[in-house]
Amino acid sequence: MKSIILLFMIVLFVISSQVRADEVDNTGNKGVVTGRILDNSNLPLPGATIVVKSINKGVVSDVNGYYRLTLLKAGTHEIIVSYIGFKPQSKNVTVAEGKTEVVDFNLTAGIDIDEVVVNGALQGQSKALNQQKNNINISNIISSDQVTRFPDANIGDALKRIPGSCKTANLL
């Protein structure tokens, strides 16, 4: 059994070495694009997605915003960079055989939201929770909206669902 595992590991090593050798041989007639992804304040954007549109292949930027696209055929390629919360940006890059092109991107913020106001059906419940939070004594306060959601036939059965004594329960 050990000899089969050892043989299998040797075969995997030989195959992976051959793949690495093929990649080294191909870099001589292929091009490389490298660069950095920054925001407006020149801070790096780690995890930005960089895609070469013509071959549908891409990479992700590292912690410092650097990226490297290897084994690109010579010619013009469109590179698209996207990052959550920023506007996507694209540039056309001419790649030469055996050369490294440096293409940096400065992304701008996509959506600026000043304020979000949420109104809805839970106003009674939020009022009850705030009143319960700010109450000096320990009490349970429920809204009438919340009581209607209980599957009980009357208010007495609904009050049984509230933890604690029924004397301290307040209904809004």
Side-chain angles (χ1 to χ4, degrees), residues 128-140:
L129 289 173
N130 280 321
Q131 187 177 353
Q132 182 175 325
K133 181 183 79 166
N134 295 328
N135 201 351
I136 296 172
N137 300 328
I138 297 174
S139 63
N140 291 310

Side-chain angles (χ1 to χ4, degrees), residues 145-166:
D145 296 338
Q146 191 173 358
V147 172
T148 59
R149 291 191 199 122
F150 292 157
D152 301 314
N154 59 39
I155 192 67
D157 291 337
L159 287 176
K160 290 178 188 176
R161 294 186 179 276
I162 300 171
S165 172
C166 287

Side-chain angles (χ1 to χ4, degrees), residues 1-13:
M1 184 67 180
K2 288 184 181 180
S3 62
I4 293 173
I5 294 173
L6 182 61
L7 180 64
F8 182 70
M9 290 176 65
I10 291 172
V11 169
L12 283 177
F13 177 74

